[in-house]
Amino acid sequence: MLSFLNLVAFLAITGYATYLFVQIVYSRIVFIKLGKKANLKKDATIRVNDFFTQVFGQTKLLKDPKSGVMHIIMFYGFIILQFGAIELIIKGFVKGFEYPMGEAHKFFSLSQEITTFLVLLAVGYAYYRRYIEKVKRLKRGFKSGLVIIFLTTLMLSIFFTLAFEHLWLGDSGGAYAPISSLIASFFTGMRPEIAGALFYLFWWVHLLTLLAFMVYVPQSKHAHVLFAPVNIMLRDTKPVGKLTSIDFEDEKQETYGVGKIEDFRQNQLIDLYACVECGRCTSMCPASGTGKTLSPMDLIVKMRDHLTEKGSAITSRTAWMPSFVFAQVKGSFPMHDEVAVTAEQAPALIGDVITEEELWACTTCRNCEDQCPVANEHVEKIIDMRRYLVLTEGSMPHEASRYFQNIERQSNPWGINRKERLKWREGREDIHVPTVSEVEEFEYLFFVGSMGSFDLRSQKIAQAFVKIMNTAGISFAVLGNEERNSGDTARRMGNEFLFQQLCQENIANFQGYGVKKIVTICPHTYNTFKHEYPEFGLEAEVYHHTELIWKWMQEGRIKPTKKVEESIAYHDSCYIGRYNDIYDIPRQILTHIPGVQVLEMARNKQDAMCCGAGGGMMWMEETQGKRVNIERTEQALRLNPTTIGSNCPYCLTMMSDGTKAKEMEHLVKTLDIAEIVEKAI
């Protein structure tokens, strides 16, 4: 009779918990499907490779080795323990049940106990990091600690269930069940019927905890267990950071950009439930790190909660289970009148949920995305909302408005007469800079860019690179006054229409002169030409100047023989580094220059901190916290360099301003790699 009641209770409770789990997961899938359909490329090979390397290889998690190893133990531990969980549940109905049968069970039992112990240690370390070491990026509180309680209870209940089973059956467990046997030894002499009762007590503790955890997971941050693998599989396989274009020919579009949560694409909304709230993104964010309101993690979490609440109102599906427990919580349905929210009454995405200050603080450096273990893409969401503000609402900082006007009128950020674009080549008798109209043919089009053409400091970079090309005997030409702004910054600031206009004008120019190869000193221009212009018809090879300098050095066209006695703190540009994975080439160039010593900042390569100029911040004032360029300059100055080296006009400007602000400009130079190479030849 007791066995029958045990079975009935098991089936009833398990069935109810499974029903709750399915309803919760299905609700979130329904909320995600409120978004626009994503036309994803059918890149099966890339997706499968990413899935196995990131899900099973845990490559992103290992960027932080300590928490990475901890998570790997938990991840694989739970996979292994699922087999033991099945056996343990069956033990509650079949006394002494074992699988696999025979001698193999000893080794299975040993593997289960060792794995359970390792997971318990990992959980203990998770508690230590969060509540004792108090790692800054990790949240603390009851919600954050609830999973630790769940996991600890699950692991301990396994050991105690097995320990009392040994006593109930009258076996010692032995060396193949070392931990449960040790626990059993403390209760030696216990009557079998009492041991059997305690077996069932801990068996039910384990089962109820397991089922409660199953219901808890999809409605907590631990929903990443379900959604992160899907998110990795369904991410855009386009080049990292490449933005999705707006079709301005589509007459059905009434607004541009994203002003409502359901305006995001479905694969973007999966990001929200995939977030694990680990804080890695925020800990690396230059805006967050210098006191701005933007926190990439909080941005995702706020959008997730907004989607859940609004999705519930739109679909009339409760977001929380059991519904009677959460009757007073927003996102539950049906709800009490005082908490009921209709879709029309839901908070505005921009303004109520996400502030404009947060959106305009982003430098688009992608440090957040590079760190994210679940493949979330924060930057494009921010730019999509900027697009809504700029193109639909006409709302933007006055500096951004002035920038757009100057680009539209004179095709440069300062509004300088566009006919002065070629004046940068004056004043250097030792360089030859032909325009496309002055030569019959050329191998490379040198796209100088607005910084190289108009900014007095950046003009020196352009001149240095020309000197290198002249020395190497390279056939090149410039567009001169026919050159237009690349439009990259306009696009990142949300003005997609202006970007597409400039893009089409530039491509028409390139095609008119038969351009096959383009080189630029600006990583931002390089990135947009290489990855975004092809969508609009560009067919040309695109190079950053450091790529060609290194190529010509290898070919012997350039021979840096002069000694340059400099200790160089090298700064990685975001748009060459994280956007295009170019880290070694600039360092190879520097190490092949006699006398140069390359110094590495604490944050370098993939982890390098942004200079603060990206995403339009070059042209806007920072009104909150510390200036990003000051923070980055201080990181460089800690190495006591004689020079701060860079490969980007924006970065060089920001670092130069940083040394001036720290009153170190007379002691520490700021130079582009091209300028350093020019000194050596």
PDB file of all heavy atoms in Angstrom, residues 77-101:
ATOM      1  N   GLY A  77      29.315  17.837 -14.870  1.00  0.00           N
ATOM      2  CA  GLY A  77      28.839  17.099 -13.699  1.00  0.00           C
ATOM      3  C   GLY A  77      27.363  16.797 -13.801  1.00  0.00           C
ATOM      4  O   GLY A  77      26.924  15.662 -13.552  1.00  0.00           O
ATOM      5  N   PHE A  78      26.572  17.784 -14.206  1.00  0.00           N
ATOM      6  CA  PHE A  78      25.136  17.571 -14.308  1.00  0.00           C
ATOM      7  C   PHE A  78      24.785  16.612 -15.440  1.00  0.00           C
ATOM      8  O   PHE A  78      23.813  15.852 -15.329  1.00  0.00           O
ATOM      9  CB  PHE A  78      24.408  18.903 -14.480  1.00  0.00           C
ATOM     10  CG  PHE A  78      23.898  19.438 -13.174  1.00  0.00           C
ATOM     11  CD1 PHE A  78      24.726  20.183 -12.345  1.00  0.00           C
ATOM     12  CD2 PHE A  78      22.616  19.164 -12.749  1.00  0.00           C
ATOM     13  CE1 PHE A  78      24.276  20.658 -11.127  1.00  0.00           C
ATOM     14  CE2 PHE A  78      22.146  19.631 -11.535  1.00  0.00           C
ATOM     15  CZ  PHE A  78      22.973  20.380 -10.720  1.00  0.00           C
ATOM     16  N   ILE A  79      25.558  16.639 -16.506  1.00  0.00           N
ATOM     17  CA  ILE A  79      25.308  15.675 -17.589  1.00  0.00           C
ATOM     18  C   ILE A  79      25.539  14.252 -17.074  1.00  0.00           C
ATOM     19  O   ILE A  79      24.716  13.353 -17.291  1.00  0.00           O
ATOM     20  CB  ILE A  79      26.221  15.973 -18.797  1.00  0.00           C
ATOM     21  CG1 ILE A  79      25.804  17.298 -19.454  1.00  0.00           C
ATOM     22  CG2 ILE A  79      26.157  14.827 -19.813  1.00  0.00           C
ATOM     23  CD1 ILE A  79      26.710  17.741 -20.581  1.00  0.00           C
ATOM     24  N   ILE A  80      26.648  14.057 -16.382  1.00  0.00           N
ATOM     25  CA  ILE A  80      26.976  12.728 -15.847  1.00  0.00           C
ATOM     26  C   ILE A  80      25.960  12.305 -14.794  1.00  0.00           C
ATOM     27  O   ILE A  80      25.521  11.137 -14.761  1.00  0.00           O
ATOM     28  CB  ILE A  80      28.403  12.738 -15.245  1.00  0.00           C
ATOM     29  CG1 ILE A  80      29.437  12.963 -16.357  1.00  0.00           C
ATOM     30  CG2 ILE A  80      28.688  11.442 -14.491  1.00  0.00           C
ATOM     31  CD1 ILE A  80      30.844  13.248 -15.854  1.00  0.00           C
ATOM     32  N   LEU A  81      25.544  13.239 -13.951  1.00  0.00           N
ATOM     33  CA  LEU A  81      24.653  12.902 -12.840  1.00  0.00           C
ATOM     34  C   LEU A  81      23.220  12.603 -13.278  1.00  0.00           C
ATOM     35  O   LEU A  81      22.438  12.056 -12.484  1.00  0.00           O
ATOM     36  CB  LEU A  81      24.646  14.027 -11.803  1.00  0.00           C
ATOM     37  CG  LEU A  81      25.959  14.211 -11.020  1.00  0.00           C
ATOM     38  CD1 LEU A  81      25.849  15.381 -10.057  1.00  0.00           C
ATOM     39  CD2 LEU A  81      26.326  12.935 -10.257  1.00  0.00           C
ATOM     40  N   GLN A  82      22.870  12.947 -14.514  1.00  0.00           N
ATOM     41  CA  GLN A  82      21.515  12.610 -14.983  1.00  0.00           C
ATOM     42  C   GLN A  82      21.303  11.097 -15.006  1.00  0.00           C
ATOM     43  O   GLN A  82      20.206  10.603 -14.732  1.00  0.00           O
ATOM     44  CB  GLN A  82      21.262  13.195 -16.372  1.00  0.00           C
ATOM     45  CG  GLN A  82      21.273  14.713 -16.427  1.00  0.00           C
ATOM     46  CD  GLN A  82      20.520  15.354 -15.285  1.00  0.00           C
ATOM     47  OE1 GLN A  82      19.325  15.114 -15.087  1.00  0.00           O
ATOM     48  NE2 GLN A  82      21.226  16.163 -14.497  1.00  0.00           N
ATOM     49  N   PHE A  83      22.376  10.359 -15.335  1.00  0.00           N
ATOM     50  CA  PHE A  83      22.261   8.894 -15.353  1.00  0.00           C
ATOM     51  C   PHE A  83      22.045   8.360 -13.938  1.00  0.00           C
ATOM     52  O   PHE A  83      21.240   7.446 -13.713  1.00  0.00           O
ATOM     53  CB  PHE A  83      23.520   8.273 -15.974  1.00  0.00           C
ATOM     54  CG  PHE A  83      23.757   8.721 -17.386  1.00  0.00           C
ATOM     55  CD1 PHE A  83      24.693   9.703 -17.675  1.00  0.00           C
ATOM     56  CD2 PHE A  83      23.028   8.165 -18.431  1.00  0.00           C
ATOM     57  CE1 PHE A  83      24.916  10.125 -18.975  1.00  0.00           C
ATOM     58  CE2 PHE A  83      23.246   8.570 -19.737  1.00  0.00           C
ATOM     59  CZ  PHE A  83      24.188   9.559 -20.011  1.00  0.00           C
ATOM     60  N   GLY A  84      22.770   8.952 -12.991  1.00  0.00           N
ATOM     61  CA  GLY A  84      22.604   8.544 -11.598  1.00  0.00           C
ATOM     62  C   GLY A  84      21.243   8.946 -11.051  1.00  0.00           C
ATOM     63  O   GLY A  84      20.668   8.242 -10.211  1.00  0.00           O
ATOM     64  N   ALA A  85      20.705  10.091 -11.543  1.00  0.00           N
ATOM     65  CA  ALA A  85      19.398  10.555 -11.068  1.00  0.00           C
ATOM     66  C   ALA A  85      18.307   9.569 -11.454  1.00  0.00           C
ATOM     67  O   ALA A  85      17.385   9.294 -10.666  1.00  0.00           O
ATOM     68  CB  ALA A  85      19.102  11.941 -11.645  1.00  0.00           C
ATOM     69  N   ILE A  86      18.416   9.024 -12.657  1.00  0.00           N
ATOM     70  CA  ILE A  86      17.429   8.035 -13.103  1.00  0.00           C
ATOM     71  C   ILE A  86      17.478   6.802 -12.204  1.00  0.00           C
ATOM     72  O   ILE A  86      16.451   6.280 -11.758  1.00  0.00           O
ATOM     73  CB  ILE A  86      17.682   7.647 -14.577  1.00  0.00           C
ATOM     74  CG1 ILE A  86      17.456   8.866 -15.477  1.00  0.00           C
ATOM     75  CG2 ILE A  86      16.776   6.486 -15.000  1.00  0.00           C
ATOM     76  CD1 ILE A  86      17.901   8.659 -16.909  1.00  0.00           C
ATOM     77  N   GLU A  87      18.699   6.347 -11.937  1.00  0.00           N
ATOM     78  CA  GLU A  87      18.854   5.182 -11.067  1.00  0.00           C
ATOM     79  C   GLU A  87      18.293   5.475  -9.685  1.00  0.00           C
ATOM     80  O   GLU A  87      17.578   4.646  -9.091  1.00  0.00           O
ATOM     81  CB  GLU A  87      20.332   4.803 -10.956  1.00  0.00           C
ATOM     82  CG  GLU A  87      20.546   3.557 -10.089  1.00  0.00           C
ATOM     83  CD  GLU A  87      21.974   3.417  -9.577  1.00  0.00           C
ATOM     84  OE1 GLU A  87      22.611   4.453  -9.292  1.00  0.00           O
ATOM     85  OE2 GLU A  87      22.437   2.268  -9.446  1.00  0.00           O
ATOM     86  N   LEU A  88      18.591   6.662  -9.153  1.00  0.00           N
ATOM     87  CA  LEU A  88      18.148   7.016  -7.808  1.00  0.00           C
ATOM     88  C   LEU A  88      16.625   7.051  -7.713  1.00  0.00           C
ATOM     89  O   LEU A  88      16.041   6.591  -6.729  1.00  0.00           O
ATOM     90  CB  LEU A  88      18.733   8.378  -7.412  1.00  0.00           C
ATOM     91  CG  LEU A  88      18.667   8.739  -5.923  1.00  0.00           C
ATOM     92  CD1 LEU A  88      19.530   7.784  -5.105  1.00  0.00           C
ATOM     93  CD2 LEU A  88      19.123  10.184  -5.699  1.00  0.00           C
ATOM     94  N   ILE A  89      15.969   7.572  -8.740  1.00  0.00           N
ATOM     95  CA  ILE A  89      14.500   7.631  -8.733  1.00  0.00           C
ATOM     96  C   ILE A  89      13.907   6.225  -8.754  1.00  0.00           C
ATOM     97  O   ILE A  89      12.968   5.915  -8.010  1.00  0.00           O
ATOM     98  CB  ILE A  89      13.995   8.469  -9.929  1.00  0.00           C
ATOM     99  CG1 ILE A  89      14.323   9.948  -9.700  1.00  0.00           C
ATOM    100  CG2 ILE A  89      12.481   8.287 -10.119  1.00  0.00           C
ATOM    101  CD1 ILE A  89      14.095  10.822 -10.893  1.00  0.00           C
ATOM    102  N   ILE A  90      14.487   5.365  -9.582  1.00  0.00           N
ATOM    103  CA  ILE A  90      13.972   3.991  -9.668  1.00  0.00           C
ATOM    104  C   ILE A  90      14.170   3.257  -8.344  1.00  0.00           C
ATOM    105  O   ILE A  90      13.350   2.413  -7.945  1.00  0.00           O
ATOM    106  CB  ILE A  90      14.648   3.229 -10.833  1.00  0.00           C
ATOM    107  CG1 ILE A  90      14.284   3.894 -12.166  1.00  0.00           C
ATOM    108  CG2 ILE A  90      14.219   1.759 -10.847  1.00  0.00           C
ATOM    109  CD1 ILE A  90      15.002   3.318 -13.373  1.00  0.00           C
ATOM    110  N   LYS A  91      15.244   3.602  -7.619  1.00  0.00           N
ATOM    111  CA  LYS A  91      15.489   2.976  -6.310  1.00  0.00           C
ATOM    112  C   LYS A  91      14.306   3.187  -5.361  1.00  0.00           C
ATOM    113  O   LYS A  91      14.067   2.389  -4.448  1.00  0.00           O
ATOM    114  CB  LYS A  91      16.753   3.554  -5.677  1.00  0.00           C
ATOM    115  CG  LYS A  91      18.071   3.046  -6.257  1.00  0.00           C
ATOM    116  CD  LYS A  91      19.241   3.747  -5.589  1.00  0.00           C
ATOM    117  CE  LYS A  91      20.579   3.278  -6.154  1.00  0.00           C
ATOM    118  NZ  LYS A  91      20.908   1.902  -5.749  1.00  0.00           N
ATOM    119  N   GLY A  92      13.565   4.280  -5.564  1.00  0.00           N
ATOM    120  CA  GLY A  92      12.421   4.554  -4.697  1.00  0.00           C
ATOM    121  C   GLY A  92      11.253   3.618  -4.930  1.00  0.00           C
ATOM    122  O   GLY A  92      10.319   3.579  -4.110  1.00  0.00           O
ATOM    123  N   PHE A  93      11.295   2.855  -6.020  1.00  0.00           N
ATOM    124  CA  PHE A  93      10.207   1.925  -6.338  1.00  0.00           C
ATOM    125  C   PHE A  93      10.679   0.469  -6.372  1.00  0.00           C
ATOM    126  O   PHE A  93       9.898  -0.450  -6.193  1.00  0.00           O
ATOM    127  CB  PHE A  93       9.586   2.283  -7.697  1.00  0.00           C
ATOM    128  CG  PHE A  93       9.177   3.723  -7.793  1.00  0.00           C
ATOM    129  CD1 PHE A  93       9.895   4.621  -8.565  1.00  0.00           C
ATOM    130  CD2 PHE A  93       8.093   4.190  -7.077  1.00  0.00           C
ATOM    131  CE1 PHE A  93       9.528   5.948  -8.639  1.00  0.00           C
ATOM    132  CE2 PHE A  93       7.710   5.525  -7.148  1.00  0.00           C
ATOM    133  CZ  PHE A  93       8.435   6.415  -7.927  1.00  0.00           C
ATOM    134  N   VAL A  94      11.972   0.291  -6.616  1.00  0.00           N
ATOM    135  CA  VAL A  94      12.539  -1.065  -6.668  1.00  0.00           C
ATOM    136  C   VAL A  94      13.692  -1.113  -5.661  1.00  0.00           C
ATOM    137  O   VAL A  94      14.764  -0.548  -5.910  1.00  0.00           O
ATOM    138  CB  VAL A  94      13.050  -1.425  -8.083  1.00  0.00           C
ATOM    139  CG1 VAL A  94      13.612  -2.844  -8.084  1.00  0.00           C
ATOM    140  CG2 VAL A  94      11.941  -1.265  -9.108  1.00  0.00           C
ATOM    141  N   LYS A  95      13.455  -1.751  -4.560  1.00  0.00           N
ATOM    142  CA  LYS A  95      14.447  -1.796  -3.490  1.00  0.00           C
ATOM    143  C   LYS A  95      15.759  -2.397  -3.987  1.00  0.00           C
ATOM    144  O   LYS A  95      15.781  -3.471  -4.581  1.00  0.00           O
ATOM    145  CB  LYS A  95      13.903  -2.621  -2.323  1.00  0.00           C
ATOM    146  CG  LYS A  95      14.815  -2.628  -1.096  1.00  0.00           C
ATOM    147  CD  LYS A  95      14.178  -3.404   0.043  1.00  0.00           C
ATOM    148  CE  LYS A  95      15.077  -3.429   1.279  1.00  0.00           C
ATOM    149  NZ  LYS A  95      14.472  -4.178   2.393  1.00  0.00           N
ATOM    150  N   GLY A  96      16.856  -1.641  -3.753  1.00  0.00           N
ATOM    151  CA  GLY A  96      18.182  -2.129  -4.113  1.00  0.00           C
ATOM    152  C   GLY A  96      18.477  -2.108  -5.593  1.00  0.00           C
ATOM    153  O   GLY A  96      19.446  -2.729  -6.046  1.00  0.00           O
ATOM    154  N   PHE A  97      17.685  -1.368  -6.388  1.00  0.00           N
ATOM    155  CA  PHE A  97      17.890  -1.337  -7.845  1.00  0.00           C
ATOM    156  C   PHE A  97      19.281  -0.795  -8.186  1.00  0.00           C
ATOM    157  O   PHE A  97      19.759   0.164  -7.585  1.00  0.00           O
ATOM    158  CB  PHE A  97      16.814  -0.476  -8.512  1.00  0.00           C
ATOM    159  CG  PHE A  97      17.004  -0.310  -9.995  1.00  0.00           C
ATOM    160  CD1 PHE A  97      16.604  -1.310 -10.871  1.00  0.00           C
ATOM    161  CD2 PHE A  97      17.605   0.828 -10.513  1.00  0.00           C
ATOM    162  CE1 PHE A  97      16.792  -1.156 -12.237  1.00  0.00           C
ATOM    163  CE2 PHE A  97      17.791   0.984 -11.874  1.00  0.00           C
ATOM    164  CZ  PHE A  97      17.375  -0.018 -12.737  1.00  0.00           C
ATOM    165  N   GLU A  98      19.909  -1.441  -9.183  1.00  0.00           N
ATOM    166  CA  GLU A  98      21.213  -0.997  -9.671  1.00  0.00           C
ATOM    167  C   GLU A  98      21.277  -1.118 -11.188  1.00  0.00           C
ATOM    168  O   GLU A  98      20.734  -2.062 -11.757  1.00  0.00           O
ATOM    169  CB  GLU A  98      22.348  -1.862  -9.083  1.00  0.00           C
ATOM    170  CG  GLU A  98      22.563  -1.687  -7.595  1.00  0.00           C
ATOM    171  CD  GLU A  98      23.724  -2.547  -7.087  1.00  0.00           C
ATOM    172  OE1 GLU A  98      24.230  -3.384  -7.872  1.00  0.00           O
ATOM    173  OE2 GLU A  98      24.122  -2.390  -5.926  1.00  0.00           O
ATOM    174  N   TYR A  99      21.911  -0.124 -11.812  1.00  0.00           N
ATOM    175  CA  TYR A  99      22.270  -0.288 -13.218  1.00  0.00           C
ATOM    176  C   TYR A  99      23.560   0.500 -13.441  1.00  0.00           C
ATOM    177  O   TYR A  99      23.787   1.510 -12.770  1.00  0.00           O
ATOM    178  CB  TYR A  99      21.136   0.160 -14.150  1.00  0.00           C
ATOM    179  CG  TYR A  99      21.118   1.645 -14.453  1.00  0.00           C
ATOM    180  CD1 TYR A  99      21.749   2.164 -15.593  1.00  0.00           C
ATOM    181  CD2 TYR A  99      20.477   2.552 -13.591  1.00  0.00           C
ATOM    182  CE1 TYR A  99      21.738   3.515 -15.857  1.00  0.00           C
ATOM    183  CE2 TYR A  99      20.455   3.897 -13.860  1.00  0.00           C
ATOM    184  CZ  TYR A  99      21.087   4.382 -14.997  1.00  0.00           C
ATOM    185  OH  TYR A  99      21.061   5.717 -15.262  1.00  0.00           O
ATOM    186  N   PRO A 100      24.383   0.091 -14.349  1.00  0.00           N
ATOM    187  CA  PRO A 100      24.289  -1.210 -15.050  1.00  0.00           C
ATOM    188  C   PRO A 100      24.480  -2.354 -14.047  1.00  0.00           C
ATOM    189  O   PRO A 100      25.065  -2.185 -12.981  1.00  0.00           O
ATOM    190  CB  PRO A 100      25.427  -1.145 -16.052  1.00  0.00           C
ATOM    191  CG  PRO A 100      26.411  -0.190 -15.451  1.00  0.00           C
ATOM    192  CD  PRO A 100      25.600   0.828 -14.713  1.00  0.00           C
ATOM    193  N   MET A 101      23.996  -3.498 -14.420  1.00  0.00           N
ATOM    194  CA  MET A 101      24.036  -4.650 -13.516  1.00  0.00           C
ATOM    195  C   MET A 101      25.452  -5.204 -13.410  1.00  0.00           C
ATOM    196  O   MET A 101      26.296  -5.003 -14.281  1.00  0.00           O
ATOM    197  CB  MET A 101      23.081  -5.741 -14.019  1.00  0.00           C
ATOM    198  CG  MET A 101      21.630  -5.276 -14.190  1.00  0.00           C
ATOM    199  SD  MET A 101      20.840  -4.855 -12.638  1.00  0.00           S
ATOM    200  CE  MET A 101      20.608  -6.488 -11.968  1.00  0.00           C
TER     201      MET A 101
END
